[in-house]
């Protein structure tokens, strides 16, 4: 009986031990399943996070691409607008240049016409002026040819003062060196006509020092040449005394004051 009781107790204890071991195994299995499920959840959440990050990055990249495309499109549009405006400007500039060239051509044609008319008028006026000048010259030459004067060169006073003559000058007969009616042009002076006589003269700075080899001081300290026009002795040089038609000009040699 005791043996039977011991055997029962041992059997019950074995059953309880197996049951406890089974429950422990189940608990460990459950815990293992729970940990694996938690790990799977964590991996899923991490995968979801990574996927969301990737999606965000992809969205950002897409946004960037869209913005870059928009910018490039704007640039293209701006370039197109610029090119169109440039073309318009060029066309307008060409049209304006064409208009200007046509205007300049018209103005040039007008100026050439006006120049031609002016040149024709100038030629006509020049020909008229030339004709009038020629007629005036003819008249003046005729008038100049008509002007003349009586011209005399004399050293008559030396004949009465031969004793005072210090040079070997040979006094001509009557003391007349030159006497002739001389023609002259308007504006000529006494000096101009004297030079045309052909008589040897010695002039220094407008002053007549000698005529025909007879010089001042050859017949005394007060001797020399003087000129007289229409009976009067001018008080200025012969180069400044202008002649008039019909004048009487005399070049006279004086030996003593008052002998003329």
């Amino acid at each position: 009986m005791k043996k039977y009781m011991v055997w029962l107790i041992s059997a019950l204890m074995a059953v309880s031990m197996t049951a406890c071991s089974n429950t422990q195994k189940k608990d460990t299995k459950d815990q293992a399943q729970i940990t694996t499920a938690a790990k799977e959840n964590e991996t899923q959440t991490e995968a979801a996070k990574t996927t969301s990050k990737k999606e965000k990055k992809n969205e950002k990249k897409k946004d960037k691409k869209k913005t870059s495309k928009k910018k490039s499109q704007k640039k293209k549009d701006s370039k197109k607008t610029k090119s169109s405006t440039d073309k318009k400007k060029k066309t307008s500039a060409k049209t304006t240049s064409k208009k200007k060239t046509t205007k300049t051509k018209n103005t040039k044609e007008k100026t050439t016409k006006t120049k031609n008319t002016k040149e024709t008028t100038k030629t006509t006026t020049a020909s008229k002026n030339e004709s009038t000048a020629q007629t005036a010259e003819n008249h003046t030459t005729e008038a100049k040819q008509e002007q003349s004067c009586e011209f005399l060169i004399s050293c008559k006073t030396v004949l009465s003062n031969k004793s005072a003559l210090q040079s070997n000058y040979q006094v001509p007969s009557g003391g007349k060196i030159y006497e002739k009616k001389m023609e002259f042009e308007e504006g000529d002076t006494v000096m101009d006509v004297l030079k045309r006589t052909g008589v040897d003269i010695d002039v220094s700075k407008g002053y007549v020092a000698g005529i025909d080899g007879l010089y001042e001081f050859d017949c005394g300290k007060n001797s020399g040449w003087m000129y007289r026009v229409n009976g009067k002795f001018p008080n200025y040089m012969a180069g400044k005394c202008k002649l008039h038609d019909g004048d009487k000009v005399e070049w006279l040699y004086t030996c003593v004051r008052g002998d003329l």
Side-chain angles (χ1 to χ4, degrees):
M1 193 68 183
K2 287 181 181 178
K3 290 181 182 181
Y4 181 74
M5 287 297 288
V6 171
W7 181 78
L8 282 172
I9 290 164
S10 61
L12 288 169
M13 288 177 71
V15 169
S16 62
M17 288 292 287
T18 53
C20 288
S21 63
N22 287 324
T23 53
Q24 286 178 355
K25 287 180 181 179
K26 285 181 182 179
D27 291 330
T28 54
K29 286 181 180 179
D30 292 329
Q31 287 179 356
Q33 287 177 355
I34 290 164
T35 53
T36 53
K39 286 180 180 180
E40 287 177 357
N41 289 322
E42 285 178 358
T43 53
Q44 286 177 0
T45 53
E46 287 178 358
K49 286 180 181 180
T50 53
T51 52
S52 65
K53 286 180 181 180
K54 287 181 180 179
E55 286 177 355
K56 285 180 181 180
K57 286 181 180 180
N58 292 322
E59 286 177 357
K60 285 181 181 179
K61 286 180 180 180
K62 287 180 181 179
D63 293 329
K64 284 181 180 180
K65 286 181 180 180
K66 286 180 181 179
T67 53
S68 63
K69 284 181 181 179
K70 287 180 181 179
K71 286 181 181 180
S72 62
Q73 189 66 33
K74 285 181 181 179
K75 286 181 180 179
K76 287 180 181 179
D77 294 330
S78 63
K79 285 181 181 179
K80 286 181 181 179
T81 53
K82 283 182 181 179
S83 63
S84 62
T85 52
D86 292 329
K87 285 180 181 178
K88 288 180 181 179
K89 286 180 180 179
K90 286 179 180 179
T91 53
S92 63
K94 285 180 180 179
T95 53
T96 52
S97 64
K98 285 180 180 179
K99 288 180 181 179
K100 285 181 180 179
T101 52
T102 53
K103 286 181 181 179
T104 52
K105 284 180 181 178
N106 293 322
T107 52
K108 283 180 180 179
E109 288 176 356
K110 288 180 181 179
T111 52
T112 51
K113 286 180 181 179
T114 53
K115 283 181 181 178
N116 291 322
T117 53
K118 285 180 180 179
E119 286 177 356
T120 53
T121 53
K122 282 181 181 180
T123 52
T124 53
T125 52
S127 61
K128 287 180 181 179
N129 290 324
E130 286 178 357
S131 62
T132 52
Q134 285 178 356
T135 54
E137 283 179 359
N138 292 324
H139 289 298
T140 53
T141 51
E142 288 176 358
K144 287 177 181 178
Q145 286 176 359
E146 291 176 356
Q147 292 181 352
S148 62
C149 66
E150 294 179 4
F151 206 86
L152 173 67
I153 301 172
S154 175
C155 60
K156 187 178 179 179
T157 56
V158 179
L159 294 173
S160 58
N161 292 286
K162 280 187 178 181
S163 60
L165 188 62
Q166 297 177 2
S167 64
N168 295 323
Y169 180 72
Q170 297 294 323
V171 181
S173 62
K176 289 182 181 180
I177 298 170
Y178 184 88
E179 187 178 14
K180 189 178 179 180
K181 188 176 182 179
M182 297 287 292
E183 292 180 354
F184 64 90
E185 296 179 354
E186 187 177 356
D188 283 346
T189 62
V190 175
M191 182 64 74
D192 294 331
V193 179
L194 177 62
K195 289 178 180 179
R196 291 196 202 112
T197 58
V199 180
D200 293 333
I201 58 173
D202 188 359
V203 182
S204 62
K205 295 181 181 180
Y207 177 75
V208 178
I211 298 174
D212 194 37
L214 182 63
Y215 288 85
E216 62 177 344
F217 308 129
D218 281 352
C219 197
K221 62 180 181 179
N222 293 320
S223 62
W225 288 99
M226 298 178 70
Y227 77 97
R228 185 166 62 187
V229 180
N230 299 325
K232 293 181 180 180
F233 293 98
N235 58 356
Y236 44 88
M237 290 183 178
K240 293 182 180 180
C241 183
K242 291 183 179 181
L243 291 172
H244 300 87
D245 189 27
D247 284 345
K248 184 179 180 180
V249 180
E250 297 172 289
W251 281 93
L252 305 174
Y253 191 84
T254 179
C255 295
V256 182
R257 289 181 180 178
D259 58 353
L260 298 177

